[in-house]
């Protein structure tokens, strides 16, 4: 960073700094996690791919909801953003039945209070996307909650607004991605309020770390789907007999190269841009 900035938070693979009273700097590293463990080997440019994708979507969804993006830095991995008062809610939308949604459905026949047909399989497409909020866990996993619990956290009116905005964002991006051969199985947003109490999209949007990306040409419900970006890493880890507790294994060069290529491919398919053009000038994604 050129100027002094105070570190205010760490995610598994990102760092957050304070620039001044109104602005934060979100920096995406090249770290990768699998089975919830951050690995010791980085994927070159992963942070740039995620930052570029997020900015691409922010630029294209501002008519649905304003967002926190103020500027992309020349390094391609740092976003200057408006400081918001974040809602105490993970805003999840699911178009397909997988992950914790599939687990909850198998146990109860419902996901976050949405009762579903009785005969659904792993990874089935849902008849309509559903809003499935979760609490923000300080550590460990977020916990799925129903709409009544979510409405208690943010108020009924705000809940209704957040649900409508989240569904609209998901419908827009999933239709766009599907035309480009990528299924967005589900996605997670973090929304906040600006100084006027207006709803604003924060964090990252429609990146492979905040959404499940599936290759459309390999989609086959009834089984878990391969991940567009992380499948090489998962498959390699499964060959090791690693127990999925820290520390994670180092990745060999061919797994690193194959995984980097998949991230770059996702970027290029979704944005229609050359990744090299992004590296030369990140602002190309704002189009
Ligand atoms: C905010 N996080 C998550 C934690 C990270 C990211 N615009 C904003 N205003 C206020 N707070 C946040 C944001 C955003 N985005 C995001 N926590 C607070 C987080 C740790 C590291 F990179």
């Amino acid at each position: 960073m050129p100027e002094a900035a105070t570190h205010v938070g760490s995610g598994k693979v990102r760092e957050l700094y304070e620039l001044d009273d109104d602005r934060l700097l979100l920096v995406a590293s090249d770290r990768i996690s699998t089975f919830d463990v951050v690995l010791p080997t980085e994927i070159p440019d992963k942070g740039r791919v995620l930052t570029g994708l997020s900015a691409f979507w922010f630029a294209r969804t501002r008519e649905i909801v304003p967002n926190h993006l103020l500027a992309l830095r020349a390094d391609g991995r740092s976003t200057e953003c408006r400081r918001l008062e974040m809602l105490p809610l993970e805003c999840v939308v699911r178009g397909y039945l997988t992950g914790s949604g599939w687990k909850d459905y198998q146990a109860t026949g419902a996901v976050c209070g949405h009762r579903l047909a009785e005969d659904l399989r792993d990874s089935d497409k849902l008849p309509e996307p559903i809003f499935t909020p979760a609490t923000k866990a300080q550590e460990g996993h977020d916990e799925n909650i129903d709409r009544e619990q979510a409405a208690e956290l943010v108020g009924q009116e705000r809940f209704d607004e957040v649900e409508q905005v989240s569904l609209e964002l998901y419908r827009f991006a999933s239709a766009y991605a599907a035309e480009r051969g990528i299924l967005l199985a589900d996605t997670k947003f973090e929304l906040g309020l600006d100084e006027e109490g207006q709803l604003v999209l924060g964090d990252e949007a429609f990146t492979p770390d905040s959404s499940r990306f599936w290759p459309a040409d390999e989609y086959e419900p009834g089984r878990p789907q391969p991940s567009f970006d992380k499948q090489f890493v998962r498959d390699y880890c499964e060959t090791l007999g690693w127990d999925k507790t820290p520390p994670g294994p180092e990745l060999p060069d061919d797994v690193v190269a194959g995984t980097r290529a998949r991230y770059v491919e996702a970027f290029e398919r979704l944005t229609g841009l050359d990744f090299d053009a992004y590296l030369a000038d990140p602002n190309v994604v704002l189009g």
Side-chain angles (χ1 to χ4, degrees):
M1 266 151 302
E3 77 278 51
T6 312
H7 186 242
V8 292
S10 284
K12 274 210 197 83
V13 302
R14 297 180 304 161
E15 304 297 336
L16 194 58
Y17 301 87
E18 177 180 84
L19 292 173
D20 56 43
D21 287 354
D22 306 322
R23 296 181 310 142
L24 300 174
L25 189 70
L26 196 52
V27 183
S29 75
D30 291 337
R31 297 194 292 274
I32 186 169
S33 69
T34 190
F35 307 114
D36 281 333
V37 176
V38 178
L39 302 183
T41 311
E42 296 191 330
I43 305 300
D45 294 324
K46 171 178 177 279
R48 293 189 174 93
V49 165
L50 269 61
T51 299
L53 273 177
S54 209
F56 172 83
W57 290 114
F58 282 145
R60 281 155 189 80
T61 58
R62 345 174 359 199
E63 280 97 89
I64 300 174
V65 63
N67 59 69
H68 73 165
L69 174 66
L70 293 171
L72 281 175
R73 292 221 168 153
D75 66 8
R77 64 171 75 251
S78 308
T79 306
E80 295 176 11
C81 47
R82 281 200 273 166
R83 178 175 252 169
L84 307 171
E85 187 185 326
M86 302 310 290
L87 298 179
L89 202 63
E90 300 284 359
C91 299
V92 178
V93 180
R94 302 170 188 276
Y96 294 78
L97 192 56
T98 187
S100 66
W102 169 239
K103 279 208 179 73
D104 291 354
Y105 171 76
Q106 285 179 289
T108 69
V111 185
C112 298
H114 300 271
R115 185 144 292 280
L116 301 170
E118 280 178 21
D119 55 352
L120 297 178
R121 299 160 296 171
D122 188 358
S123 307
D124 258 332
K125 186 172 190 181
L126 297 170
E128 298 286 350
I130 54 174
F131 183 63
T132 60
T135 57
K136 288 186 185 181
Q138 283 309 314
E139 51 194 84
H141 275 133
D142 299 338
E143 191 190 344
N144 288 341
I145 54 177
D146 63 29
R147 53 201 304 110
E148 287 74 27
Q149 293 169 293
E152 278 173 35
L153 285 173
V154 298
Q156 186 64 52
E157 261 191 76
R158 190 67 80 179
F159 173 81
D160 291 342
E161 185 186 12
V162 159
E163 176 177 45
Q164 285 320 307
V165 160
S166 297
L167 288 169
E168 206 176 326
L169 287 168
Y170 176 81
R171 284 191 290 259
F172 173 80
S174 60
Y176 193 100
E179 286 177 24
R180 288 153 183 86
I182 295 175
L183 303 180
L184 296 182
D186 53 29
T187 196
K188 177 169 84 176
F189 310 112
E190 294 201 30
L191 289 152
L193 305 180
D194 67 13
E195 44 294 322
E196 276 145 30
Q198 292 294 310
L199 200 62
V200 178
L201 180 59
D203 203 61
E204 58 183 334
F206 303 112
T207 67
D209 280 6
S210 65
S211 313
R212 284 189 177 86
F213 283 28
W214 291 343
D217 60 1
E218 293 174 55
Y219 175 61
E220 191 186 300
R223 56 153 171 91
Q225 303 305 295
S227 157
F228 194 96
D229 44 295
K230 287 185 181 171
Q231 202 57 43
F232 288 145
V233 174
R234 292 190 186 147
D235 291 349
Y236 172 72
C237 289
E238 296 290 4
T239 69
L240 299 173
W242 168 47
D243 66 1
K244 297 168 190 173
T245 66
E250 307 247 18
L251 301 176
D253 291 350
D254 63 319
V255 173
V256 171
T259 302
R260 181 186 181 280
R262 294 291 277 181
Y263 278 103
V264 170
E265 185 185 348
F267 176 96
E268 293 187 335
R269 278 163 75 161
L270 290 170
T271 66
L273 296 163
D274 283 333
F275 186 59
D276 285 338
Y278 178 74
L279 295 179
D281 176 11
N283 291 309
V284 293
V285 292
L286 304 179

